[in-house]
Amino acid sequence: MIGTRSRWWLYVLLTVALVLVITPFAWMVLGSFKTNAELRQIPPTWWPQNPTLDNFTQLFSRLSFGTYFSNSTIVAVVVTAGNLLFCSMVGYALAMLRFRGRRLIFALILGTLMIPGVVTFVPLFVLVANLGLVDTLPGLFLPFLVAPFGVFLMRQFVLGLPRDLVEAARIDGAGEFRIFFQVILPLLTPALATLGILTFLGSWNNFLWPLVVAQSNDTYTLPVALALYSTGQNEQQYGLLMAGATIVVLPVLVVFLIFQRRFIQGIATTGIK
């Protein structure tokens, strides 16, 4: 009887948590079909009184949506691919190779996780500016091709792999690159899916860095363009903002739905325990 009650309360708590998580997204989607006047109405309405597609029409006609979407896609894909490759390589080296300073390097990587991003923001911008990468797509993705958290995640996962596989490959005469790409990398699929989703999500929604580095329509990403064009001289265009936010969220949902099984598996077996 006690177990049944505990399970019932667990279901109630999970349902409440689910409602709290879904409600803002539902409000955003429904708000994208409302007029700006209805969005400002007090008391607010839940369902659109007069559903309209004007916000989406204005979004695609007023903004160079294709350019912004392409920029966001390029930056997010390159950053994700870079993290998957380089973080897994560094994680493999720190977990499987024996060299002097290995523990110190890993300690420094962990130390960078405790440094707030705003601390390195200005020095990073100065470096990008000195390299002449301001207002360019490389300036948006090059500083983020490797992340400390990704290195930590991949190292922890590689530590859980049998070392005998690596030793057997070395006995067969395989080099480290061949061992990594043909033996280790296929076993990293769950961790790669987890890191890929987290990295893609963070890069796709990144706002502050593109806002500073991108200085023209040719390099604006979707979040930056949406924030800039939804703010008028006299009023905030909430309908346009919600329509754009709905479009921005869709690719992230698609990526997560495709890799959700691998994501859960990676979280469960990565070694963050």
Side-chain angles (χ1 to χ4, degrees), residues 5-245:
R5 289 182 177 179
S6 300
R7 183 177 301 177
W8 186 82
W9 279 109
L10 177 61
Y11 288 152
V12 171
L13 291 175
L14 291 177
T15 302
V16 172
L18 179 63
V19 171
L20 292 176
V21 170
I22 291 180
T23 298
F25 292 96
W27 176 262
M28 176 187 69
V29 175
L30 293 174
S32 65
F33 296 99
K34 298 178 183 179
T35 62
N36 210 41
E38 185 178 353
L39 287 170
R40 294 175 175 272
Q41 181 177 319
I42 299 178
T45 59
W46 181 255
W47 295 100
Q49 296 176 344
N50 298 299
T52 177
L53 295 175
D54 289 345
N55 293 320
F56 292 95
T57 302
Q58 186 178 6
L59 179 68
F60 287 98
S61 61
R62 180 179 175 183
L63 277 67
S64 300
F65 188 83
T67 300
Y68 306 143
F69 186 87
S70 176
N71 291 341
S72 291
T73 302
I74 292 173
V75 172
V77 169
V78 172
V79 170
T80 302
N83 275 266
L84 292 180
L85 177 62
F86 298 127
C87 290
S88 59
M89 294 179 71
V90 177
Y92 165 74
L94 292 175
M96 293 294 185
L97 302 184
R98 295 290 183 263
F99 55 92
R100 183 175 299 179
R102 176 171 57 93
R103 294 183 178 179
L104 176 60
I105 293 175
F106 182 62
L108 292 175
I109 292 174
L110 291 181
T112 59
L113 289 173
M114 296 181 287
I115 301 176
V118 294
V119 174
T120 60
F121 191 90
V122 173
L124 188 60
F125 177 77
V126 172
L127 176 62
V128 170
N130 290 336
L131 293 175
L133 297 177
V134 174
D135 201 25
T136 64
L137 291 181
L140 296 178
F141 60 71
L142 284 178
F144 306 102
L145 290 181
V146 182
F149 174 76
V151 174
F152 169 75
L153 187 72
M154 301 309 295
R155 175 188 179 273
Q156 296 303 104
F157 192 91
V158 174
L159 283 175
L161 300 178
R163 185 175 294 273
D164 293 341
L165 294 175
V166 177
E167 298 299 333
R170 288 172 179 166
I171 293 175
D172 290 340
E176 295 301 331
F177 281 99
R178 185 178 179 183
I179 294 174
F180 172 75
F181 285 105
Q182 295 187 4
V183 178
I184 299 298
L185 198 60
L187 300 176
L188 298 181
T189 304
L192 290 174
T194 302
L195 179 60
I197 291 176
L198 296 177
T199 304
F200 184 87
L201 176 62
S203 180
W204 182 268
N205 292 328
N206 193 9
F207 174 75
L208 187 57
W209 180 257
L211 178 65
V212 175
V213 176
Q215 300 178 358
S216 67
N217 284 325
D218 294 334
T219 54
Y220 283 159
T221 58
L222 269 178
V224 173
L226 184 61
L228 294 178
Y229 285 98
S230 63
T231 305
Q233 295 181 348
N234 300 317
E235 65 174 353
Q236 187 84 12
Q237 302 183 54
Y238 294 108
L240 181 63
L241 186 62
M242 289 192 177

